[in-house]
Every structure is written in C-alpha cells, then in structure tokens.
Amino acid sequence: MRKLFLLALFFPVSLLAQTQLDLSYYLPDGVKFDPAIPTPKSVIGHEVGEWHVSHDRLVNYMYALDKASDRISLEVTGYTYEGRPLLLLTITSPKNHQNLEAIRLQHLQLSDPARSGSLDVKSMPAVFYMGCSIHGNEPSGANAGLVGAYYLAAAQGPEIEKYLDNTIILFDPSFNPDGLHRFSSWVNSRKSISISPDPNDTEHNEPWPGGRTNHYWFDLNRDWMVAQLPESQARIRKFQQWKPNLLTDHHEQGTNASFFFMPGVPSRVHPLTPPKNQELTRKLGEYHAKALDQIGSLYFTQEGYDDFYYGKGSTYPDTQGAVGILFEQASSRGHAQESVNGILRFPFTIRNHFTTMLSSLKAINEMREEFLNYQRDFYKTASAEAAKDPVKAYIVGASKDRTRTFHFGEMMLRQNVEFYKLPSTQTIGGKTYEPDAAFVVPANQLNYRIVKAMFEKRSKFEDSLFYDISTWTLPLAFGMDYEELKAPPAMGERVTELKMPVGKINGDKATYAYVFESYGYYAPRAMYRLLSHGIRIKVSNDVFNHSNGKRFERGTIMIPLENQELSPEQVSVYIKEVAEKDGIDVYGFNTGLDYKGVSLGSSSFTALQKPVIAMVIEGGASANDAGEMWHLLDTRFNIPVTLIPQSVVNTANISKYNVIIFPPGNFSVINDTGKDKLKSWTQNGGVIVAFENANTWLANAGIGKYETKKDKEDNKDVAKPKPYADIQENNGAQETSGAIFQADGDLSNPLLFGYWDPKIPVFKSNNLFFEKGKGAYSNPLVYGSNPLLSGYISKPNYDKLKNTSVIGVSNVGRGKVIGFSEGMTFRAFWYGTAKMLMNAVYYGGSLSNEVGSR
Ligand SMILES: [Zn+2]
C-alpha cells in the first residue's frame, strides 16, 4: 500500500483525489501495531492528511487513545477563550504510570542543587514535552500529532518499549485549539474534489485574521515567559510541574522553503543560555538529519530563526535547564499547493513532522543521561553565575498602583521565581517602595537565569538581526519603579500566593462626593463601571485637597452625589465595586470647599461621556495590534467595542460612536464615501485614536495632519559599493524589531493623567518617527536626545528617533485625531502604556485645541 501511494505522488493532481491515502505512508517500515488501538481514521472519519483535522475530532481521538491504551493518561489542563479544552497526554510505559508522582518528584530534584548531587541519572527517565501547531494555520504539526500519538500507543517491539521505559512524554496535540479550528474550518470548507494547488485558489487565501493566532489574535508563541493568555498559563503550569529536558515545537514556514530544525543562527543565541545547550541542540540535529535523509526530504539549519527571545516555545526552555527545538515545515497552507519544489502536498508536510517526532524520541533516549546531567549542571551553575553578578537583588513595585504590582508578582509566580515581601517602606534612587506594593527578588536563586532575563537591560549585541524583539525588560513594560541592588536588602516573607488587591473606602458615609485617583491600572474599568450605570463622573484638571489634608493631582475622578439619577445609596453600591473589584481606594467628601486648591464645583472638572467605541478591522489592518486592543478593552476593562470591518465603514451609520480606533495597517478597503463619512464624523466632534502607520492613511485621506521625520537630504552621490552577499544582512540591520525608549511626558496633559513619573518607558517596533508639533502644548510625550533604555536600533534610525514625538494630535473641526507613533498595549504585557490609549478614549474629545496644533 505504501509503495502504491508513493507512485501516486507523481500522478497528475486531478488523479490525486482518487488515490488511496493510507496511514502506512507515514509509519516506518517493519513495526507491528497493536490492533486494539484505534487508528485515527476509525475515530475522526478520514485518513490523516485527507482533510485538516478539526480540533473537536482531534480531541475525540485523544480521548479514544486514553481509553484504549495503558501507556496514555489524558488530562484537561485548561480552556481557551472559546471554551476548547487544552489537552495534555502523559505517555510512558504502564510501569512508569504506576509510579508517576515519585518519578516526577525525583525528576524535580535535578533542579535543586541541594539534592541533585545524590541522584543517579543512569536510572532516571528523561522528560520530553512535545507540542504541536501553536500557530493554528501551521497545521501539519497537529495532524502529525494524530500519527505520533497512534504510534506511541500502538507500536510494538523492544525499541518502543525501551523508549517508553526511559521517557515520560508530555504530549500536547494542539497548543492553539481556537486557531487550529478556525483554519481547519476554512481549508476544509474550500476544498475541491479535484484539489486545486493554484496559490490563487480561495483555499490558499484564508480571510482576515487568519488561523495563526488565538481568539484575541495573539501570537501564542510570544507569550511563554510573560504568560498573559490562558493557553500559556495552563501550559506553563504543566511545564513547571515537570521541568522537562526537551521541548519540541512543530511549526510551518513559507510554501517555497524546505524543512528547518534547530540550531538557529549561532550569533543570535541569547547570552544567558549556556553554550552546552547549543551543543546538545546540534547533536539532536544529527538525529533529525539522518531521519530526513532516509525519506529524502530537503532541510536546512543554522541559517534562519534564533534562540534569542525567551517568549518563544523553542527558546523559553533554555531558561529552565531544558533544550527547546523549533521545527519549521514548508506549508501547503491547504491540501496541496504549487511551490518552487513542485507541488507540496499536505500529507508530505505531516510526514516530515512525524518523522522528526520519532527522531527526537530516539535522540532523547540515546542522549538521556547527557540531558539529565545538563539540567542538573544548569541549576548548579546558576548559583555560581549569580555570585559573579554585581546585582544581588531587584526591588520592584508601583507605589501608587497595587494592582499592577499584583500582576507583576503573578507573572513571577507562574515561573516559580522566588521573591519576597518588603518588610517596611523604603526609598531608593528617589523612589518610594511600599510593603503592600513592592517585592524584593534576590538574584541568587535557582531561577537566577529567568530572573535575569526578566529584569535585565541590554544594548550590546553580537548580531544586529533579530527574529523577534531585541528586548523586553519586564519592569519597564509593566511601568514599574525598580532598582538593581548591589547588596541584598532586608526581606519579609516569601510570596507564594497572591490575591487581587481590594481598595478601601475612606469616609464611608460620604454626603457630598466620592473621589478616586487614576493611577490604578483598572481606573478605566472603574470609570466605565460608573458611566455604564448612568452615573455622572468628572475628571479634575487641577489640584484639590480633602479636608483631612490629602492632596489629589490632576486626573483624579470625582463623583458628585447631587443630581444623579441614582440615589446616594445606589451610587455607593457601585463605588463599593470600584474598591472591591477594581482595587482602587476611594475617598468620601462631605464638603466641596478647598481654599488650597480648587473646590469641587470648579470648572476645572470636566464631565465625562460614556465612550461608545468602534475599532476598524479587516483588510490591511494589523490583526495582532487590533487583537491587543480588543483584549484590553474586552477582558481587562469590560468596555464594549464594536469591531467594524473596513467594508462596513463604507455603508454603515457611524454616528452612534464617539471614538473610533484605527490599529496600525492600511485601510484601502475604505472608499471615498467612507473617507468623507469619517471626515465629517470627526468634524462633528468624533475622536479618532490611531496607531503607527494608520496615521499615514488618515492624513492621505485628509483626516488629520501628520509629518514624519525624513532623511536629511536625498543623497545624490553614488553609494559606497557593498558586496551583493550582504544585502539581506544590511537591510535587516535597519529594522527596529522591538526596543525600549524613555519618553518624557507632561503629566498635566490629560493624555498623561494617571502617571506619576514623567519618565515613561515606551516600546517601539517600527521605523516611524513623528516630527514634533509646532505648538507650545502639542508635544505631551517626546523622546529626548538620549532615549535608548534597552534593545537594538541602528545608528541612522536612532539619530532620526531623537527629539521626536510619541503623540501627535490634529484638530479636525470639533473633533480630534490622536495619533500614537507606537502601539500602547504590546502583547498584553505592556501594562505601563495602556493607560495612554484609555486617556485618548476618555479625554480626547475634551482636549484643548491648543494641543492639536497640527
Ligand atoms: Zn509558527
């Protein structure tokens, strides 16, 4: 049967559908299979590779294997946003299953130098985490998982029995169920009986946003370290429970490529990763090469991809004494597609992944002791590395925002980082750290390397090319105050669990007004909570004081009790929710009089409107960026947003919205009618909040003005000659793939309300530079002359960035365009800048025209 199919590969495409595809195409020769184990086809209803497996059928098959095989136990580790189960199959010999908890506990001792010395690794199994298709439209991994799981359950003979005795396999058949399901629905629903390999066919052109991402359009393969998303949280819990030795991550790349396995580009390995990690990676590569040689599949290695950003699945394990391996198969992105290598068929892509699943299993078995010793040494040397490090501890906190401190702590707990409460208030480097809003993180701990990876700033690099971002310094991303300490400070109790902070209501029985500061991360949610119940709220544009002496800065929210539609008692119910659910301290006022500042009836308080928001999506809009903002508004702030397709902008009545968000991208689907409508909507008082190059589209459409920094003079001279071979390298070095810069803010501008430090770290991942506005008030947030905090930017781009603006406001009739040169809520972990986006939403409409001088 197998030979028959191979012949069929050379048949014309139209005959392909009539040719029998059989499981034996994938499986190695000479292996017997237990007939009591169901084949994939017997459960999912089609042969592997004939259709794209849907997630529910994949789940059915995994349950069937769990039922039939004493080598497998299945658990649900969590759920996706769309309610799909996240599965983990533990696959090992029945004997190991009897003893699993003892094996796990012994395995964990490898990462504890106090106990690892006495372990005899000769008799210990290795732990191998195998995961598939974190990008949902890279489905050959998950489909290969059907064959892989069948093989592990059903294969007979001494080799597989030995492997199962010596390995605990943690198998996740689909890292991204929602994305896999979205993609499989698309390609299956567009498949013809006579498969069309034409790249123009609808099957190969999936609609926006594509199946790569999860429900909120996040790239899950950037979230392993910060774990802000439910899929990652469930996975990291299992990872930390087991601390595997090897993690494999099965992806797809462009249709014209071949197959890639790690190592990636050697000069782009993160310096915190020990060299032995790459040595093991190279040795593993020899196993993959041999297996792929045997089936004649083309492959490459070392020329692309890298082990730099620890948020990726193949790099995160490098912080944990494990080795992470990226596999990239050229994608048929459908059932068959023309490529420079001939027609690329889905079954072929599945077979390459399955083949490297087996080569990985063989490798981890033959290299078992090396892997176990590597993990033991990794944790032993962590302490020596920490001893050499001049930084002995970090102090981190947000004195005015306990909720952000809480989220930062939550992130560290997920990674088993050891950290402590602060015993008393401390002032370091001019910043105050409060015991309930700060932590101390000692450097000398088992997790030294991941702590270092979370906290370090880096601006020197061996290479100037990055597969992903060049830096992520997490205290800067979270907008925290922090300090590197050269001597370990006093520490309180170790933090092992955290609860979302609850705010206090000071002066419970207010008769006149309630007031809260807007420093809290959840202040935008609290404001919407009140506005959505019809409660009138105001924001202060001046300083005022409580009768007890407490001073309130600009940006404080005031809720008068007089002339509300709800009674004071009813208002107080929602005020209580602000304290309890949003973690914000509220202050009751019994008088409005303040001689030191303004009284509460002052015109410096601006009444706020309930935002009614639409965000323009589809077409050329960036799904990642749109998803970040959708996720922020929907899941964190519970603020409704209408996701309006570009084509609908052309036809819909948009007068019901008062804010329209434009994520980065191009909006060419919006026609002249749509442009005119947007323009008159803005002239009538609408607020557009636009990001990055969306501002270019808007300016070209005559909605808002906008200038970017140009190259000094077009150079008329003949360019200095450079070798052709360096084109890629030279162009790549000009990309700003993601770096952190300090911007200086005017905290009296409403767009900066809720910030307490005018030095604000901002993440930049583009080469767009806003010229400063001409007016005295038109540059509320600017990059200075030496703004780089961490990461890589080329010299020419750095020169352009200096002294440019982050925010540019245009007056359009009675409305505004608030333009941001950068995204403000990158990958859900840039907590620090999200407030600016929300300020634009809440305060954009009432900004003085003096700000919008453009
Ligand atoms: Zn991928």
Side-chain angles (χ1 to χ4, degrees):
M1 199 57 104
R2 181 165 181 237
K3 291 222 165 60
L4 198 90
F5 180 78
L6 287 176
L7 281 173
L9 284 176
F10 300 99
F11 285 6
V13 182
S14 56
L15 293 180
L16 183 72
Q18 294 152 31
T19 313
Q20 197 60 42
L21 172 64
D22 191 275
L23 193 59
S24 61
Y25 167 60
Y26 303 104
L27 299 171
D29 286 329
V31 180
K32 283 208 174 62
F33 293 92
D34 180 353
I37 302 298
T39 62
K41 187 177 179 177
S42 70
V43 176
I44 66 175
H46 60 80
E47 193 48 84
V48 174
E50 189 186 352
W51 295 89
H52 282 61
V53 73
S54 62
H55 187 257
D56 42 15
R57 288 181 180 183
L58 180 82
V59 168
N60 288 346
Y61 183 58
M62 296 303 149
Y63 272 98
L65 287 181
D66 179 35
K67 200 171 158 202
S69 171
D70 57 1
R71 294 172 178 176
I72 292 183
S73 68
L74 178 152
E75 64 191 300
V76 174
T77 58
Y79 290 89
T80 68
Y81 282 115
E82 293 175 19
R84 293 195 172 80
L86 295 155
L87 302 187
L88 192 77
L89 280 68
T90 304
I91 308 176
T92 187
S93 66
K95 194 183 90 206
N96 285 343
H97 268 297
Q98 303 291 315
N99 207 16
L100 204 58
E101 186 58 7
I103 293 173
R104 186 182 74 85
L105 293 173
Q106 189 192 39
H107 182 81
L108 287 181
Q109 291 182 13
L110 280 176
S111 47
D112 178 0
R115 294 188 296 171
S116 64
S118 60
L119 293 171
D120 178 12
V121 296
K122 280 194 175 59
S123 62
M124 290 169 62
V127 180
F128 173 18
Y129 205 130
M130 194 192 288
C132 302
S133 298
I134 198 163
H135 297 138
N137 62 2
E138 301 177 3
S140 49
N143 284 270
L146 294 165
V147 189
Y150 170 73
Y151 181 92
L152 294 171
Q156 303 290 294
E159 187 185 66
I160 184 70
E161 295 206 353
K162 193 179 91 193
Y163 288 174
L164 292 173
D165 269 340
N166 288 328
T167 326
I168 311 293
I169 301 163
L170 305 172
F171 177 62
D172 185 334
S174 169
F175 277 152
N176 175 11
D178 294 347
L180 184 78
H181 203 83
R182 196 180 323 136
F183 183 69
S184 63
S185 299
W186 173 256
V187 285
N188 288 339
S189 67
R190 292 300 196 269
K191 183 188 175 192
S192 301
I193 293 171
S194 300
I195 292 173
S196 171
D198 182 347
N200 295 335
D201 190 79
T202 177
E203 182 182 338
H204 307 302
N205 291 281
E206 51 168 341
W208 200 97
R212 177 183 176 88
T213 50
N214 80 345
H215 176 75
Y216 285 101
W217 312 332
F218 282 101
D219 186 336
L220 287 174
N221 200 34
R222 301 295 183 266
D223 192 47
W224 289 70
M225 181 171 49
V226 291
Q228 296 298 303
L229 304 166
E231 294 90 344
S232 320
Q233 289 166 9
R235 192 184 328 116
I236 296 303
R237 231 176 356 254
K238 289 317 287 189
F239 189 104
Q240 290 295 333
Q241 245 172 50
W242 270 103
K243 289 199 183 282
N245 302 98
L246 171 64
L247 183 139
T248 52
D249 190 20
H250 293 267
H251 288 247
E252 289 185 359
Q253 54 185 331
T255 305
N256 291 327
S258 61
F259 188 89
F260 169 86
F261 53 81
M262 283 200 143
V265 178
S267 58
R268 284 155 43 183
V269 177
H270 198 289
L272 288 170
T273 297
K276 178 79 181 172
N277 171 296
Q278 293 297 301
E279 200 183 298
L280 291 170
T281 302
R282 280 193 294 276
K283 202 163 162 188
L284 283 167
E286 292 167 20
Y287 285 84
H288 310 316
K290 201 170 161 197
L292 293 166
D293 286 343
Q294 271 169 16
I295 58 169
S297 286
L298 293 173
Y299 54 81
F300 69 101
T301 184
Q302 285 204 123
E303 289 173 76
Y305 305 101
D306 64 36
D307 262 329
F308 191 81
Y309 176 42
Y310 288 124
K312 293 190 302 153
S314 51
T315 310
Y316 165 78
D318 303 346
T319 66
Q320 309 281 325
V323 171
I325 297 296
L326 173 68
F327 294 118
E328 294 273 358
Q329 163 64 47
S331 182
S332 56
R333 203 77 83 221
H335 294 85
Q337 191 169 168
E338 289 160 5
S339 80
V340 296
N341 298 312
I343 291 176
L344 179 61
R345 295 175 207 288
F346 188 41
F348 175 77
T349 67
I350 296 172
R351 189 170 65 155
N352 287 335
H353 273 313
F354 171 68
T355 300
T356 50
M357 285 175 181
L358 291 194
S359 61
S360 302
L361 182 63
K362 184 180 170 74
I364 184 81
N365 269 273
E366 295 185 1
M367 296 166 67
R368 183 176 54 87
E369 288 181 40
E370 248 183 297
F371 269 96
L372 295 170
N373 281 323
Y374 169 65
Q375 190 164 46
R376 172 157 63 185
D377 291 345
F378 180 94
Y379 285 99
K380 272 190 194 160
T381 55
S383 157
E385 298 270 314
K388 278 188 277 173
D389 196 323
V391 178
K392 298 304 171 202
Y394 302 87
I395 188 164
V396 59
S399 60
K400 293 182 190 293
D401 183 7
R402 282 171 295 156
T403 56
R404 240 185 305 159
T405 309
F406 158 74
H407 285 304
F408 194 88
E410 223 187 4
M411 190 246 338
M412 291 195 291
L413 275 185
R414 285 191 195 108
Q415 301 295 355
N416 273 327
V417 166
E418 181 187 333
F419 62 101
Y420 295 83
K421 286 185 176 165
L422 198 63
S424 59
T425 303
Q426 295 198 29
T427 304
I428 301 168
K431 287 172 181 154
T432 305
Y433 298 89
E434 308 278 357
D436 62 349
F439 303 121
V440 181
V441 188
N444 194 353
Q445 60 169 291
L446 297 180
N447 279 309
Y448 164 74
R449 289 188 181 91
I450 198 156
V451 167
K452 191 83 186 160
M454 286 173 172
F455 283 82
E456 71 164 14
K457 291 184 202 159
R458 192 173 281 275
S459 52
K460 292 211 166 44
F461 301 91
E462 195 187 331
D463 204 321
S464 51
L465 265 57
F466 299 86
Y467 182 70
D468 198 68
I469 57 180
S470 69
T471 188
W472 46 87
T473 317
L474 295 180
L476 298 178
F478 277 68
M480 313 289 283
D481 294 330
Y482 83 112
E483 197 73 37
E484 298 177 339
L485 304 175
K486 303 286 183 270
M491 299 194 293
E493 274 171 67
R494 180 166 176 184
V495 181
T496 54
E497 62 173 338
L498 283 168
K499 284 204 184 77
M500 169 75 183
V502 171
K504 285 193 291 284
I505 299 182
N506 304 279
D508 206 3
K509 292 273 178 286
T511 54
Y512 194 79
Y514 289 103
V515 156
F516 61 85
E517 295 166 309
S518 58
Y519 301 122
Y521 182 71
Y522 290 105
R525 180 165 82 190
M527 290 156 72
Y528 195 83
R529 187 184 294 290
L530 301 171
L531 289 167
S532 67
H533 288 105
I535 298 169
R536 288 182 306 105
I537 70 174
K538 291 183 165 189
V539 64
S540 71
N541 288 286
D542 212 334
V543 174
F544 64 98
N545 301 278
H546 193 278
S547 57
N548 71 7
K550 182 173 168 62
R551 174 186 159 105
F552 291 91
E553 299 295 333
R554 291 175 178 82
T556 300
I557 303 300
M558 192 267 289
I559 306 99
L561 285 171
E562 181 259 356
N563 200 25
Q564 295 278 8
E565 276 167 35
L566 301 182
S567 70
E569 288 69 34
Q570 286 170 317
V571 170
S572 73
V573 169
Y574 298 115
I575 291 294
K576 219 172 148 203
E577 284 188 7
V578 166
E580 284 175 359
K581 296 185 177 167
D582 302 324
I584 291 172
D585 291 337
V586 184
Y587 299 83
F589 277 59
N590 294 323
T591 172
L593 180 65
D594 180 16
Y595 284 132
K596 283 182 287 177
V598 294
S599 294
L600 296 195
S602 159
S603 60
S604 343
F605 286 87
T606 308
L608 295 178
Q609 248 191 320
K610 184 174 87 171
V612 184
I613 309 172
M615 177 161 58
V616 184
I617 61 162
E618 298 194 1
S622 158
N624 286 145
D625 292 82
E628 287 161 5
M629 292 188 269
W630 177 26
H631 173 264
L632 180 81
L633 291 164
D634 194 30
T635 72
R636 293 199 172 151
F637 297 153
N638 308 134
I639 300 177
V641 52
T642 297
L643 305 173
I644 185 167
Q646 296 192 32
S647 56
V648 176
V649 172
N650 294 332
T651 54
N653 173 7
I654 58 170
S655 65
K656 57 182 124 175
Y657 313 113
N658 50 31
V659 174
I660 298 181
I661 296 174
F662 278 75
N666 90 63
F667 297 87
S668 54
V669 180
I670 299 180
N671 60 22
D672 287 347
T673 313
K675 287 176 196 169
D676 289 346
K677 197 190 311 184
L678 279 165
K679 193 170 183 176
S680 55
W681 173 87
T682 316
Q683 285 165 337
N684 284 324
V687 173
I688 289 180
V689 185
F691 294 87
E692 305 183 45
N693 59 352
N695 290 287
T696 316
W697 183 86
L698 286 161
N700 290 338
I703 309 167
K705 288 198 204 99
Y706 160 80
E707 269 175 73
T708 53
K709 206 152 192 175
K710 306 277 180 329
D711 287 317
K712 271 181 205 130
E713 282 287 308
D714 276 342
N715 199 339
K716 299 260 172 20
D717 303 334
V718 175
K720 200 177 107 201
K722 292 175 186 170
Y724 183 85
D726 293 350
I727 292 176
Q728 224 184 342
E729 186 88 20
N730 289 336
N731 291 348
Q734 295 308 319
E735 279 176 28
T736 307
S737 59
I740 305 173
F741 301 93
Q742 181 178 297
D744 303 306
D746 166 15
L747 301 189
S748 74
N749 187 302
L751 295 173
L752 277 305
F753 280 173
Y755 288 85
W756 60 89
D757 186 342
K759 295 180 192 323
I760 299 172
V762 171
F763 184 74
K764 181 170 191 68
S765 61
N766 61 28
N767 284 342
L768 188 78
F769 310 101
F770 277 11
E771 287 283 13
K772 279 185 182 167
K774 306 247 170 359
Y777 311 102
S778 42
N779 300 294
L781 188 66
V782 293
Y783 295 119
S785 50
N786 186 24
L788 182 65
L789 289 173
S790 187
Y792 171 80
I793 184 167
S794 74
K795 170 122 192 352
N797 284 327
Y798 194 32
D799 288 343
K800 278 193 219 166
L801 172 80
K802 290 171 183 174
N803 303 306
T804 57
S805 222
V806 183
I807 306 175
V809 179
S810 299
N811 300 320
V812 180
R814 289 191 288 118
K816 296 267 186 308
V817 176
I818 318 253
F820 288 90
S821 62
E822 332 295 349
M824 291 286 121
T825 179
F826 185 65
R827 290 182 184 167
F829 72 89
W830 267 82
Y831 283 73
T833 40
K835 195 177 286 294
M836 272 185 263
L837 154 62
M838 299 315 297
N839 285 344
V841 165
Y842 278 115
Y843 310 137
S846 55
L847 270 184
S848 161
N849 278 348
E850 299 270 334
V851 180
S853 73
R854 280 155 193 263

